[in-house]
Amino acid sequence: MLRSLVGSEMCIRDRKMASQVESLGLGSAQELWDRFDVDHNGILDHKELQKLIVYCLENKASMDEEKEERQEVLDDFRTGSREYCLLSLKLISEDGKVTFAKFEEWLHDPENFLFYPLKKFKVMLWALDLFCEFDVDGDGWVTEEEFNMSMSRLEKDLTYGTEDESSRILGELNFADYDCLESDNSVSTLELVTVIVNMWERMYSALFEAADDFFGNL
């Protein structure tokens, strides 16, 4: 019975993934990969991922009121958001090396960002910016010391500014909450971004609807 339920769930996920890929005008994950693995070396690099993201955004069905917002995101990528794409590779594969096998497995994940609603995608980009703020030494990991130092600095900034919902949400973050901590006691890009994206509706409202951009004056 359990095996039947698991198999049924996998079939539903497969159909959903296939439908999403087809919505981009392509027939399969392999066709999507072949189109954007331009150098055919079997690895998706940050430049190829950038083109893939832009393609998905351009072909995503969107409501009229989102067109301006979508254009802002597109412009950001077109002008060369190298850091976004380097970090995004680590959302697909934690070591940043994206092979077709890892890419295909990630496409089946309901949380793959290619098919995020636009507002959720914007929160993800903000979360990537947040990770860069916390990753003080730029090694791709946030240690407990970096986390606490960054939180302390943000709290100090808040002392001289106006507290808003986004700052209150950040204040709820706690290093000890990351239950996926590795033996080196560090938080990865995926771990931190996942925490933020899991509450994306609340974050979007605080960041883009009800408050000024929290990092605007940092």
Side-chain angles (χ1 to χ4, degrees):
M1 180 68 175
L2 178 61
R3 182 178 299 178
S4 176
L5 287 173
V6 172
S8 176
E9 182 178 341
M10 289 180 65
C11 286
I12 292 172
R13 288 176 59 185
D14 287 346
R15 287 197 297 269
K16 181 178 180 181
M17 187 274 289
S19 175
Q20 289 173 324
V21 173
E22 287 173 4
S23 73
L24 299 175
L26 298 168
S28 67
Q30 185 68 59
E31 287 181 56
L32 191 63
W33 176 269
D34 290 343
R35 177 165 184 162
F36 292 97
D37 179 25
V38 179
D39 55 14
H40 304 295
N41 69 346
I43 299 289
L44 195 70
D45 65 31
H46 72 280
K47 293 180 180 178
E48 292 166 337
L49 179 60
Q50 182 186 46
K51 292 177 181 177
L52 172 58
I53 291 172
V54 169
Y55 177 83
C56 290
L57 287 171
E58 287 178 334
N59 288 275
K60 185 189 294 287
S62 182
M63 296 181 291
D64 289 342
E65 58 265 31
E66 290 185 336
K67 286 182 179 178
E68 184 176 346
E69 199 166 28
R70 179 174 61 169
Q71 191 59 49
E72 289 176 5
V73 177
L74 281 168
D75 289 344
D76 190 20
F77 274 90
R78 287 199 181 102
T79 53
S81 55
R82 181 176 182 274
E83 195 65 33
Y84 281 148
C85 292
L86 285 170
L87 290 173
S88 294
L89 287 172
K90 293 183 178 181
L91 300 182
I92 302 173
S93 175
E94 200 155 63
D95 62 5
K97 296 180 180 178
V98 179
T99 62
F100 174 70
K102 289 182 177 179
F103 178 75
E104 186 176 35
E105 179 182 0
W106 173 74
L107 274 184
H108 284 80
D109 187 335
E111 283 302 304
N112 88 72
F113 57 75
L114 289 182
F115 304 107
Y116 275 179
L118 185 60
K119 292 179 179 180
K120 187 174 182 179
F121 189 81
K122 283 192 71 173
V123 170
M124 184 196 80
L125 296 186
W126 182 87
L128 293 175
D129 285 333
L130 181 70
F131 182 85
C132 290
E133 291 283 339
F134 278 46
D135 181 20
V136 178
D137 62 9
D139 68 348
W141 295 86
V142 175
T143 64
E144 185 170 9
E145 181 182 6
E146 287 176 321
F147 185 94
N148 291 336
M149 181 170 62
S150 297
M151 289 297 291
S152 177
R153 179 173 60 81
L154 293 176
E155 289 167 5
K156 183 178 179 181
D157 290 335
L158 284 173
T159 302
Y160 301 100
T162 302
E163 185 176 16
D164 58 24
E165 182 62 16
S166 60
S167 64
R168 283 191 287 271
I169 295 171
L170 281 180
E172 296 171 8
L173 299 181
N174 190 308
F175 190 82
D177 292 338
Y178 293 90
D179 57 4
C180 298
L181 291 175
E182 301 292 341
S183 57
D184 60 1
N185 205 37
S186 298
V187 174
S188 70
T189 309
L190 177 61
E191 289 164 358
L192 189 143
V193 170
T194 297
V195 168
I196 301 297
V197 169
N198 281 345
M199 50 182 178
W200 71 270
E201 291 172 301
R202 185 181 174 198
M203 288 302 303
Y204 185 88
S205 177
L207 290 166
F208 303 110
E209 291 179 345
D212 293 330
D213 186 351
F214 180 63
F215 284 102
N217 296 316
L218 295 187

